[in-house]
Amino acid sequence: MSIPEPMTPSDCDLRGLPFMQLDVVRLIDSDLFALSTGEEFKAAVALWCKSWLQVPAASLPDDDRVLAHLSAAGSRWKKVKSLALRGWIKCADGRLYHPTVAEKALHAWKARTAQRERAAKRWQKKEDDAGNATASENDMPRHSDGTSHGNALERERERERESKKKETLTSFVPPAEPSPSEIEPVETVAETLPARPSPPDARTALFQLGLKAVRGLTGKSEGQSRSLIGKWLKACGDDASILNRVILEAADLRPAEPVAWIEAAVGQHSGRSPRDAERTRNKAAWLEGEMLEGF
């Protein structure tokens, strides 16, 4: 019988997505639950969880010493090994894979790589926009018969200025002066242009554009959305610019649970402890659906 290929890509890395959602009905009705002792069941669940954070995800090393450590069975590993490894398959790379865990890991990996690609495109667009300002200079040769790049640019600009001066002098024809009888008195009226409105500050933008974005993401009323923004703004230390960036990112990614997602992002900028911020981020990751649906 041929050895199957690995069930997840070699670079499948789900570290940072620590939650796995379990289908409790399916688990309770499984043979593993019916046949295992408490110690065997504990070791099996521990291996599922540890494999989620291995690279590749959904895999384990085929080494009894490592498995004894990962399962927390220690010296009793040989006693629980048979049921703890129920459903695991050894693949061509020499590692053990669980088909159900691998299926869910592939789904989460696809979502993660798609998000990274969207972020890369945004950064590339920003770099391209910034690069356009100096594109003409980048097109100039770096060397010109012993002349440095800076001097070559300066000489090229000087030639362009001289050329424009010559064109102006040769093409200019002074208009004929009108006779005194043709001159008519003209009353000039100063035209007052309206003052150009200044752009709104961060707080005004937050309760105008940001409010519309929150209502569109959450489906909540204006009053409920204002209440959420007020709570988030307080968590950001009353820094509207931070909350504007978080809401803009949420509008771009369109998370399934926008409120939890924004609260997790705000938590990273607030003064809460790292444990509180991590707990909120984990909750957002679970609600995004990038975890197991069961075994």
Side-chain angles (χ1 to χ4, degrees), residues 146-237:
T147 304
S148 68
H149 175 59
N151 290 337
L153 286 174
E154 184 60 31
R155 291 185 180 181
E156 181 64 23
R157 294 186 183 121
E158 184 65 27
R159 284 195 294 268
E160 291 179 357
R161 286 195 292 267
E162 291 296 331
S163 176
K164 289 180 180 179
K165 287 181 180 178
K166 292 179 180 179
E167 291 177 359
T168 302
L169 293 174
T170 57
S171 61
F172 176 74
V173 177
E177 294 186 1
S179 62
S181 61
E182 295 176 345
I183 300 177
E184 297 180 358
V186 178
E187 295 182 2
T188 58
V189 179
E191 182 178 359
T192 304
L193 297 177
R196 187 173 184 179
S198 58
D201 57 24
R203 193 178 188 89
T204 302
L206 176 62
F207 282 94
Q208 290 179 355
L209 302 178
L211 178 62
K212 293 181 180 179
V214 171
R215 293 190 65 185
L217 285 168
T218 63
K220 296 182 180 295
S221 66
E222 180 176 344
Q224 293 171 325
S225 299
R226 284 183 177 275
S227 177
L228 285 174
I229 290 176
K231 182 178 70 173
W232 297 334
L233 187 59
K234 184 178 180 181
C236 288

Coordinates of all heavy atoms in Angstrom, one line a residue, residues 146-237:
G146 N 31.3 59.6 -16.9 CA 32.1 60.1 -15.7 C 31.3 61.1 -14.9 O 31.8 61.6 -13.9
T147 N 30.1 61.5 -15.3 CA 29.3 62.4 -14.6 C 28.4 61.7 -13.6 O 27.8 60.7 -13.9 CB 28.4 63.2 -15.5 OG1 29.2 63.8 -16.5 CG2 27.6 64.3 -14.7
S148 N 28.4 62.2 -12.3 CA 27.6 61.5 -11.3 C 26.1 61.6 -11.6 O 25.7 62.4 -12.4 CB 27.9 62.1 -9.9 OG 27.3 63.4 -9.9
H149 N 25.3 60.7 -11.0 CA 23.9 60.7 -11.2 C 23.3 62.1 -10.9 O 22.4 62.6 -11.6 CB 23.2 59.6 -10.4 CG 21.7 59.6 -10.5 ND1 21.1 59.4 -11.7 CD2 20.8 59.7 -9.5 CE1 19.8 59.4 -11.4 NE2 19.6 59.6 -10.1
G150 N 23.7 62.7 -9.8 CA 23.1 63.9 -9.4 C 23.4 65.0 -10.4 O 22.6 65.8 -10.8
N151 N 24.7 65.1 -10.9 CA 25.1 66.1 -11.9 C 24.4 65.9 -13.2 O 24.0 66.8 -13.9 CB 26.6 66.1 -12.1 CG 27.3 66.6 -10.8 OD1 26.7 67.4 -10.1 ND2 28.6 66.2 -10.7
A152 N 24.2 64.6 -13.6 CA 23.5 64.3 -14.8 C 22.1 64.8 -14.8 O 21.6 65.4 -15.8 CB 23.6 62.8 -15.1
L153 N 21.4 64.6 -13.7 CA 20.1 65.1 -13.5 C 20.0 66.6 -13.6 O 19.1 67.2 -14.3 CB 19.5 64.6 -12.2 CG 19.1 63.1 -12.1 CD1 18.7 62.8 -10.6 CD2 17.9 62.8 -13.0
E154 N 21.0 67.3 -12.9 CA 20.9 68.7 -12.9 C 21.2 69.3 -14.3 O 20.6 70.3 -14.7 CB 22.0 69.2 -11.9 CG 22.0 70.7 -11.8 CD 20.7 71.2 -11.3 OE1 20.0 70.5 -10.5 OE2 20.3 72.4 -11.6
R155 N 22.1 68.6 -15.1 CA 22.4 69.1 -16.4 C 21.2 68.9 -17.3 O 20.9 69.7 -18.2 CB 23.6 68.4 -17.0 CG 24.9 68.8 -16.3 CD 26.1 68.1 -16.9 NE 27.3 68.5 -16.2 CZ 28.5 68.1 -16.6 NH1 28.7 67.3 -17.7 NH2 29.6 68.5 -15.9
E156 N 20.5 67.8 -17.1 CA 19.3 67.5 -18.0 C 18.2 68.6 -17.7 O 17.6 69.1 -18.6 CB 18.8 66.1 -17.7 CG 17.6 65.7 -18.5 CD 17.8 65.6 -20.0 OE1 19.0 65.5 -20.3 OE2 16.9 65.8 -20.7
R157 N 18.1 68.9 -16.4 CA 17.1 69.9 -16.1 C 17.4 71.3 -16.7 O 16.6 72.1 -17.1 CB 16.9 70.0 -14.6 CG 16.3 68.8 -13.9 CD 16.1 69.0 -12.4 NE 15.6 67.8 -11.8 CZ 16.2 67.2 -10.8 NH1 17.3 67.7 -10.3 NH2 15.7 66.1 -10.2
E158 N 18.8 71.6 -16.6 CA 19.2 72.9 -17.1 C 19.0 73.0 -18.6 O 18.6 74.0 -19.2 CB 20.7 73.0 -16.8 CG 21.3 74.4 -17.3 CD 20.7 75.5 -16.5 OE1 20.2 75.3 -15.3 OE2 20.6 76.7 -17.0
R159 N 19.2 71.9 -19.4 CA 19.0 71.9 -20.8 C 17.5 72.1 -21.1 O 17.1 72.8 -22.0 CB 19.4 70.5 -21.4 CG 21.0 70.5 -21.6 CD 21.3 69.3 -22.5 NE 21.0 68.0 -21.9 CZ 21.8 67.3 -21.2 NH1 23.0 67.7 -20.9 NH2 21.4 66.1 -20.7
E160 N 16.6 71.5 -20.3 CA 15.2 71.6 -20.5 C 14.7 73.1 -20.2 O 13.9 73.6 -21.0 CB 14.4 70.7 -19.5 CG 14.5 69.2 -19.9 CD 13.8 68.4 -18.9 OE1 13.2 68.9 -17.9 OE2 13.7 67.1 -19.1
R161 N 15.3 73.7 -19.2 CA 15.0 75.1 -18.9 C 15.4 76.0 -20.1 O 14.7 77.0 -20.5 CB 15.6 75.6 -17.6 CG 14.9 75.0 -16.4 CD 15.4 75.7 -15.1 NE 16.8 75.4 -14.8 CZ 17.2 74.5 -14.0 NH1 16.3 73.7 -13.5 NH2 18.5 74.3 -13.8
E162 N 16.6 75.8 -20.6 CA 17.2 76.6 -21.7 C 16.3 76.5 -22.9 O 16.0 77.4 -23.6 CB 18.6 76.2 -22.0 CG 19.6 76.6 -20.9 CD 19.7 78.1 -20.7 OE1 19.4 78.9 -21.7 OE2 20.0 78.6 -19.6
S163 N 15.9 75.2 -23.2 CA 15.0 75.0 -24.4 C 13.7 75.7 -24.3 O 13.2 76.3 -25.2 CB 14.8 73.4 -24.5 OG 14.0 73.2 -25.6
K164 N 13.1 75.7 -23.1 CA 11.8 76.4 -22.9 C 12.0 77.9 -23.0 O 11.1 78.5 -23.6 CB 11.3 76.0 -21.5 CG 10.8 74.6 -21.4 CD 10.2 74.3 -20.0 CE 9.7 72.9 -19.9 NZ 9.2 72.6 -18.5
K165 N 13.1 78.4 -22.6 CA 13.3 79.9 -22.7 C 13.4 80.3 -24.2 O 12.8 81.3 -24.6 CB 14.6 80.3 -22.0 CG 14.5 80.3 -20.5 CD 15.8 80.7 -19.9 CE 15.8 80.7 -18.4 NZ 17.1 81.1 -17.8
K166 N 14.1 79.4 -25.0 CA 14.3 79.7 -26.4 C 12.9 79.7 -27.1 O 12.6 80.5 -27.9 CB 15.2 78.8 -27.1 CG 16.7 79.0 -26.6 CD 17.6 78.0 -27.3 CE 19.0 78.2 -26.8 NZ 19.9 77.2 -27.4
E167 N 12.1 78.7 -26.8 CA 10.8 78.5 -27.4 C 9.9 79.7 -27.1 O 9.2 80.3 -27.9 CB 10.1 77.3 -26.9 CG 10.8 76.0 -27.5 CD 10.1 74.7 -26.9 OE1 9.2 74.9 -26.1 OE2 10.5 73.6 -27.3
T168 N 10.0 80.2 -25.8 CA 9.2 81.4 -25.4 C 9.6 82.6 -26.1 O 8.8 83.4 -26.6 CB 9.3 81.6 -23.9 OG1 8.9 80.4 -23.2 CG2 8.5 82.7 -23.4
L169 N 10.9 82.8 -26.3 CA 11.4 84.1 -26.9 C 11.1 84.1 -28.4 O 10.8 85.1 -29.0 CB 12.9 84.2 -26.7 CG 13.4 84.5 -25.3 CD1 14.9 84.4 -25.2 CD2 12.9 85.8 -24.8
T170 N 11.2 82.9 -29.1 CA 11.0 82.9 -30.5 C 9.5 82.9 -30.9 O 9.1 83.3 -32.0 CB 11.6 81.6 -31.1 OG1 11.1 80.5 -30.4 CG2 13.2 81.7 -30.9
S171 N 8.7 82.4 -30.0 CA 7.2 82.3 -30.3 C 6.4 83.5 -29.8 O 5.3 83.6 -30.2 CB 6.7 81.0 -29.7 OG 6.8 81.0 -28.3
F172 N 7.0 84.3 -29.0 CA 6.3 85.4 -28.4 C 6.1 86.6 -29.5 O 7.1 87.0 -30.0 CB 7.0 86.0 -27.2 CG 6.3 87.2 -26.6 CD1 5.1 87.0 -25.9 CD2 6.8 88.4 -26.7 CE1 4.5 88.1 -25.4 CE2 6.2 89.5 -26.2 CZ 5.0 89.4 -25.5
V173 N 4.9 87.0 -29.7 CA 4.6 88.1 -30.6 C 3.8 89.1 -29.8 O 2.7 88.8 -29.3 CB 3.8 87.7 -31.8 CG1 3.5 88.9 -32.7 CG2 4.6 86.6 -32.6
P174 N 4.4 90.3 -29.5 CA 3.7 91.3 -28.7 C 2.4 91.8 -29.4 O 2.4 92.0 -30.6 CB 4.7 92.5 -28.6 CG 5.6 92.3 -29.7 CD 5.7 90.8 -30.0
P175 N 1.3 91.9 -28.7 CA 0.1 92.3 -29.2 C 0.1 93.8 -29.7 O 0.8 94.6 -29.1 CB -1.0 92.1 -28.1 CG -0.1 92.2 -26.9 CD 1.2 91.7 -27.2
A176 N -0.7 94.1 -30.7 CA -0.7 95.5 -31.2 C -1.4 96.3 -30.2 O -2.5 95.9 -29.6 CB -1.4 95.5 -32.5
E177 N -0.9 97.5 -30.0 CA -1.5 98.4 -29.0 C -2.7 99.1 -29.6 O -2.7 99.6 -30.8 CB -0.5 99.5 -28.6 CG 0.7 99.0 -27.8 CD 1.6 100.1 -27.3 OE1 1.3 101.3 -27.6 OE2 2.6 99.8 -26.7
P178 N -3.8 99.1 -28.9 CA -5.0 99.7 -29.4 C -4.9 101.3 -29.5 O -4.2 101.9 -28.7 CB -6.1 99.3 -28.4 CG -5.4 99.1 -27.2 CD -4.0 98.6 -27.5
S179 N -5.6 101.8 -30.4 CA -5.6 103.3 -30.5 C -6.4 103.9 -29.3 O -7.3 103.2 -28.7 CB -6.2 103.8 -31.8 OG -7.6 103.3 -31.9
P180 N -6.2 105.2 -29.0 CA -6.9 105.7 -27.8 C -8.4 105.7 -28.0 O -9.2 105.6 -27.0 CB -6.4 107.2 -27.8 CG -5.0 107.1 -28.4 CD -5.1 106.1 -29.5
S181 N -8.9 105.8 -29.3 CA -10.4 105.8 -29.5 C -11.0 104.4 -29.2 O -12.2 104.3 -29.0 CB -10.7 106.2 -30.9 OG -10.1 105.3 -31.9
E182 N -10.1 103.4 -29.3 CA -10.7 102.0 -29.1 C -10.7 101.6 -27.6 O -11.3 100.6 -27.3 CB -9.8 101.0 -29.9 CG -9.9 101.2 -31.4 CD -8.9 100.3 -32.1 OE1 -8.1 99.7 -31.4 OE2 -9.1 100.1 -33.3
I183 N -10.1 102.4 -26.8 CA -10.0 102.1 -25.4 C -11.3 102.5 -24.8 O -11.8 103.6 -24.9 CB -8.8 102.7 -24.7 CG1 -7.5 102.3 -25.4 CG2 -8.8 102.4 -23.2 CD1 -6.3 102.9 -24.8
E184 N -12.0 101.5 -24.1 CA -13.2 101.8 -23.4 C -13.0 101.6 -21.9 O -12.3 100.7 -21.5 CB -14.3 100.9 -23.8 CG -14.7 101.1 -25.3 CD -15.8 100.1 -25.7 OE1 -16.2 99.3 -24.8 OE2 -16.2 100.2 -26.9
P185 N -13.5 102.5 -21.1 CA -13.4 102.3 -19.6 C -14.1 101.0 -19.2 O -15.2 100.7 -19.6 CB -14.1 103.6 -19.1 CG -15.0 104.0 -20.1 CD -14.4 103.7 -21.4
V186 N -13.4 100.3 -18.4 CA -14.0 99.0 -17.8 C -13.9 99.1 -16.3 O -12.9 99.4 -15.7 CB -13.1 97.8 -18.4 CG1 -13.7 96.5 -17.8 CG2 -13.1 97.8 -19.9
E187 N -15.0 98.8 -15.7 CA -15.1 98.7 -14.3 C -14.8 97.3 -13.9 O -15.3 96.3 -14.4 CB -16.5 99.1 -13.8 CG -16.9 100.5 -14.1 CD -18.2 100.8 -13.5 OE1 -18.8 99.9 -12.9 OE2 -18.7 102.0 -13.7
T188 N -13.8 97.2 -13.0 CA -13.4 95.8 -12.5 C -14.1 95.6 -11.2 O -14.1 96.5 -10.3 CB -11.9 95.8 -12.3 OG1 -11.4 96.8 -11.4 CG2 -11.2 95.9 -13.7
V189 N -14.6 94.4 -11.0 CA -15.2 94.0 -9.8 C -14.4 92.9 -9.2 O -14.2 91.9 -9.8 CB -16.7 93.6 -10.0 CG1 -17.3 93.2 -8.7 CG2 -17.5 94.7 -10.7
A190 N -14.0 93.1 -8.0 CA -13.2 92.0 -7.3 C -14.1 90.9 -7.0 O -15.2 91.0 -6.4 CB -12.6 92.6 -6.0
E191 N -13.7 89.7 -7.6 CA -14.5 88.5 -7.3 C -14.0 87.8 -6.1 O -12.9 87.5 -5.9 CB -14.4 87.6 -8.5 CG -15.2 86.3 -8.4 CD -15.0 85.4 -9.6 OE1 -14.3 85.8 -10.5 OE2 -15.6 84.3 -9.6
T192 N -15.0 87.7 -5.2 CA -14.6 87.0 -3.9 C -14.9 85.5 -4.0 O -16.1 85.2 -4.2 CB -15.4 87.7 -2.8 OG1 -15.1 89.0 -2.7 CG2 -15.0 87.0 -1.4
L193 N -13.9 84.7 -4.0 CA -14.1 83.3 -4.0 C -14.4 82.7 -2.6 O -13.8 83.2 -1.6 CB -12.8 82.6 -4.6 CG -12.5 83.0 -6.0 CD1 -11.2 82.3 -6.4 CD2 -13.6 82.6 -7.0
P194 N -15.3 81.8 -2.6 CA -15.6 81.2 -1.2 C -14.4 80.5 -0.7 O -13.6 79.9 -1.4 CB -16.7 80.2 -1.5 CG -16.6 79.9 -3.0 CD -16.1 81.1 -3.6
A195 N -14.2 80.6 0.6 CA -13.1 80.0 1.3 C -13.2 78.4 1.2 O -14.3 77.9 1.3 CB -13.0 80.3 2.8
R196 N -12.1 77.8 0.8 CA -12.1 76.4 0.7 C -12.2 75.7 2.1 O -11.5 76.0 3.0 CB -10.8 75.9 0.1 CG -10.7 74.4 -0.3 CD -9.5 74.1 -1.1 NE -9.5 72.7 -1.5 CZ -8.5 72.2 -2.2 NH1 -7.5 72.9 -2.6 NH2 -8.6 70.9 -2.6
P197 N -13.2 74.9 2.2 CA -13.4 74.2 3.5 C -12.2 73.4 3.9 O -11.6 72.7 3.1 CB -14.7 73.4 3.3 CG -14.7 73.1 1.9 CD -14.1 74.3 1.2
S198 N -11.9 73.5 5.2 CA -10.7 72.7 5.7 C -11.2 71.3 5.9 O -12.4 71.1 6.2 CB -10.2 73.3 7.0 OG -11.3 73.3 8.0
P199 N -10.4 70.3 5.8 CA -10.8 68.9 6.0 C -11.2 68.7 7.4 O -10.7 69.3 8.4 CB -9.5 68.1 5.6 CG -8.4 69.1 5.8 CD -8.9 70.4 5.5
P200 N -12.1 67.8 7.7 CA -12.6 67.5 9.0 C -11.5 66.9 9.9 O -10.6 66.2 9.4 CB -13.8 66.5 8.8 CG -13.5 65.9 7.5 CD -12.8 66.9 6.7
D201 N -11.5 67.2 11.2 CA -10.5 66.6 12.1 C -10.9 65.1 12.3 O -11.9 64.6 11.8 CB -10.4 67.3 13.4 CG -11.8 67.4 14.1 OD1 -12.6 66.6 13.9 OD2 -11.9 68.3 14.9
A202 N -10.0 64.4 13.0 CA -10.2 62.9 13.1 C -11.5 62.6 13.9 O -12.2 61.7 13.5 CB -9.0 62.3 13.9
R203 N -11.8 63.4 14.9 CA -13.0 63.1 15.7 C -14.3 63.4 14.8 O -15.3 62.6 14.9 CB -13.1 64.0 16.9 CG -14.1 63.5 17.9 CD -14.1 64.4 19.2 NE -14.9 63.8 20.2 CZ -14.6 62.9 21.1 NH1 -13.3 62.5 21.1 NH2 -15.4 62.5 22.0
T204 N -14.3 64.4 14.0 CA -15.4 64.7 13.2 C -15.6 63.6 12.1 O -16.7 63.1 11.9 CB -15.3 66.1 12.5 OG1 -15.1 67.1 13.5 CG2 -16.5 66.4 11.6
A205 N -14.5 63.2 11.5 CA -14.5 62.1 10.5 C -15.0 60.8 11.2 O -15.8 60.1 10.5 CB -13.1 61.9 9.9
L206 N -14.6 60.6 12.4 CA -15.1 59.4 13.1 C -16.6 59.3 13.2 O -17.2 58.3 13.0 CB -14.4 59.3 14.5 CG -14.8 58.1 15.4 CD1 -14.4 56.8 14.7 CD2 -14.2 58.2 16.7
F207 N -17.2 60.4 13.6 CA -18.6 60.4 13.9 C -19.4 60.7 12.6 O -20.7 60.9 12.6 CB -19.0 61.4 15.0 CG -18.7 60.8 16.3 CD1 -17.5 61.1 17.0 CD2 -19.6 60.0 17.0 CE1 -17.3 60.6 18.2 CE2 -19.4 59.5 18.2 CZ -18.2 59.7 18.9
Q208 N -18.8 60.9 11.5 CA -19.5 61.0 10.2 C -19.2 59.8 9.3 O -20.1 58.9 9.2 CB -19.0 62.3 9.5 CG -19.4 63.6 10.2 CD -18.9 64.8 9.4 OE1 -18.2 64.7 8.5 NE2 -19.3 66.0 9.9
L209 N -18.0 59.7 8.8 CA -17.7 58.5 7.9 C -17.6 57.2 8.7 O -18.0 56.2 8.3 CB -16.3 58.8 7.2 CG -16.3 60.1 6.3 CD1 -14.9 60.2 5.7 CD2 -17.4 60.0 5.2
G210 N -16.9 57.3 9.9 CA -16.8 56.1 10.7 C -18.1 55.6 11.2 O -18.3 54.4 11.2
L211 N -19.1 56.5 11.5 CA -20.4 56.1 11.9 C -21.1 55.3 10.8 O -21.7 54.3 11.0 CB -21.2 57.3 12.3 CG -22.6 57.0 12.8 CD1 -22.7 56.1 14.0 CD2 -23.4 58.3 13.1
K212 N -21.0 55.8 9.6 CA -21.6 55.1 8.4 C -21.0 53.8 8.2 O -21.7 52.8 7.9 CB -21.5 56.0 7.2 CG -22.2 57.3 7.2 CD -22.0 58.0 5.9 CE -22.8 59.4 5.8 NZ -22.6 60.1 4.6
A213 N -19.7 53.7 8.4 CA -19.0 52.4 8.2 C -19.5 51.4 9.2 O -19.7 50.2 8.9 CB -17.5 52.5 8.2
V214 N -19.6 51.8 10.5 CA -20.0 50.9 11.6 C -21.4 50.4 11.4 O -21.8 49.3 11.5 CB -19.8 51.6 12.9 CG1 -20.5 50.8 14.0 CG2 -18.4 51.8 13.2
R215 N -22.3 51.4 10.9 CA -23.7 51.0 10.7 C -23.8 50.0 9.5 O -24.5 49.0 9.6 CB -24.5 52.2 10.3 CG -24.7 53.2 11.5 CD -25.8 54.2 11.2 NE -27.1 53.6 11.0 CZ -28.2 54.3 10.6 NH1 -28.1 55.6 10.4 NH2 -29.3 53.7 10.5
G216 N -22.9 50.2 8.5 CA -22.9 49.2 7.4 C -22.4 47.9 7.8 O -22.8 46.8 7.3
L217 N -21.4 47.8 8.7 CA -20.8 46.6 9.1 C -21.7 45.8 10.0 O -21.8 44.6 9.9 CB -19.4 46.8 9.7 CG -18.3 47.2 8.8 CD1 -17.1 47.7 9.7 CD2 -17.8 46.0 8.0
T218 N -22.3 46.5 11.0 CA -23.0 45.8 12.0 C -24.6 45.7 11.8 O -25.2 44.9 12.4 CB -22.8 46.5 13.4 OG1 -23.3 47.9 13.3 CG2 -21.3 46.6 13.7
G219 N -25.1 46.6 11.0 CA -26.5 46.6 10.8 C -27.3 47.3 12.0 O -28.5 47.2 12.0
K220 N -26.6 47.9 12.9 CA -27.2 48.5 14.0 C -27.7 49.9 13.7 O -27.3 50.6 12.7 CB -26.2 48.6 15.2 CG -25.8 47.2 15.7 CD -24.8 47.3 16.9 CE -24.4 46.0 17.4 NZ -25.5 45.2 17.9
S221 N -28.6 50.5 14.6 CA -29.1 51.8 14.4 C -28.0 52.8 14.6 O -26.9 52.5 15.1 CB -30.3 52.0 15.4 OG -29.8 52.0 16.7
E222 N -28.4 54.1 14.3 CA -27.4 55.2 14.5 C -27.1 55.3 16.0 O -25.9 55.5 16.4 CB -28.0 56.5 13.9 CG -27.0 57.6 14.1 CD -27.5 58.9 13.4 OE1 -28.4 58.8 12.6 OE2 -26.9 60.0 13.7
G223 N -28.1 55.3 16.9 CA -27.8 55.4 18.3 C -26.9 54.3 18.8 O -26.0 54.6 19.6
Q224 N -27.2 53.1 18.4 CA -26.4 51.9 18.9 C -25.0 52.1 18.4 O -24.0 51.8 19.1 CB -27.0 50.6 18.4 CG -28.4 50.3 19.1 CD -29.1 49.1 18.5 OE1 -29.0 48.9 17.3 NE2 -29.7 48.3 19.3
S225 N -24.8 52.5 17.1 CA -23.5 52.6 16.5 C -22.7 53.7 17.2 O -21.5 53.6 17.5 CB -23.6 52.9 15.0 OG -24.3 51.9 14.3
R226 N -23.4 54.8 17.5 CA -22.7 55.9 18.3 C -22.2 55.4 19.6 O -21.2 55.8 20.1 CB -23.7 57.1 18.4 CG -23.8 57.9 17.2 CD -24.7 59.1 17.4 NE -24.8 60.0 16.2 CZ -24.0 60.9 15.9 NH1 -22.9 61.1 16.6 NH2 -24.2 61.6 14.8
S227 N -23.1 54.6 20.3 CA -22.7 54.1 21.6 C -21.5 53.2 21.5 O -20.6 53.3 22.3 CB -23.9 53.3 22.2 OG -23.5 52.7 23.4
L228 N -21.4 52.3 20.5 CA -20.2 51.5 20.3 C -19.0 52.3 20.0 O -17.9 52.1 20.6 CB -20.5 50.5 19.1 CG -21.4 49.4 19.3 CD1 -21.7 48.6 18.0 CD2 -20.8 48.4 20.4
I229 N -19.1 53.3 19.1 CA -18.0 54.2 18.8 C -17.5 54.9 20.1 O -16.3 55.0 20.3 CB -18.3 55.2 17.7 CG1 -18.5 54.5 16.4 CG2 -17.3 56.3 17.6 CD1 -19.0 55.4 15.3
G230 N -18.4 55.4 20.9 CA -18.0 56.0 22.2 C -17.2 55.1 23.1 O -16.2 55.5 23.7
K231 N -17.7 53.8 23.2 CA -17.0 52.9 24.0 C -15.6 52.6 23.5 O -14.6 52.5 24.2 CB -17.8 51.6 24.1 CG -17.2 50.5 25.0 CD -18.1 49.3 25.1 CE -18.1 48.5 23.8 NZ -18.8 47.2 23.9
W232 N -15.5 52.4 22.1 CA -14.2 52.1 21.5 C -13.3 53.3 21.7 O -12.1 53.1 21.9 CB -14.4 51.7 20.1 CG -15.2 50.4 19.9 CD1 -15.3 49.4 20.7 CD2 -16.0 50.1 18.7 NE1 -16.1 48.4 20.2 CE2 -16.6 48.8 19.0 CE3 -16.2 50.7 17.5 CZ2 -17.4 48.2 18.1 CZ3 -17.1 50.1 16.6 CH2 -17.6 48.8 16.9
L233 N -13.8 54.5 21.5 CA -13.0 55.7 21.6 C -12.4 55.8 23.0 O -11.2 56.2 23.1 CB -13.8 56.9 21.2 CG -13.1 58.2 21.1 CD1 -12.0 58.1 20.0 CD2 -14.1 59.4 20.7
K234 N -13.2 55.5 24.0 CA -12.7 55.5 25.3 C -11.5 54.5 25.5 O -10.5 54.8 26.2 CB -13.8 55.3 26.3 CG -13.4 55.4 27.8 CD -14.6 55.1 28.7 CE -14.2 55.3 30.2 NZ -15.3 55.0 31.1
A235 N -11.7 53.3 24.9 CA -10.7 52.3 25.1 C -9.4 52.7 24.3 O -8.3 52.2 24.7 CB -11.2 51.0 24.5
C236 N -9.5 53.5 23.3 CA -8.3 54.0 22.6 C -7.7 55.2 23.2 O -6.8 55.9 22.6 CB -8.7 54.4 21.1 SG -9.1 53.0 20.1
G237 N -8.1 55.6 24.4 CA -7.6 56.8 25.1 C -8.0 58.1 24.4 O -7.3 59.0 24.4

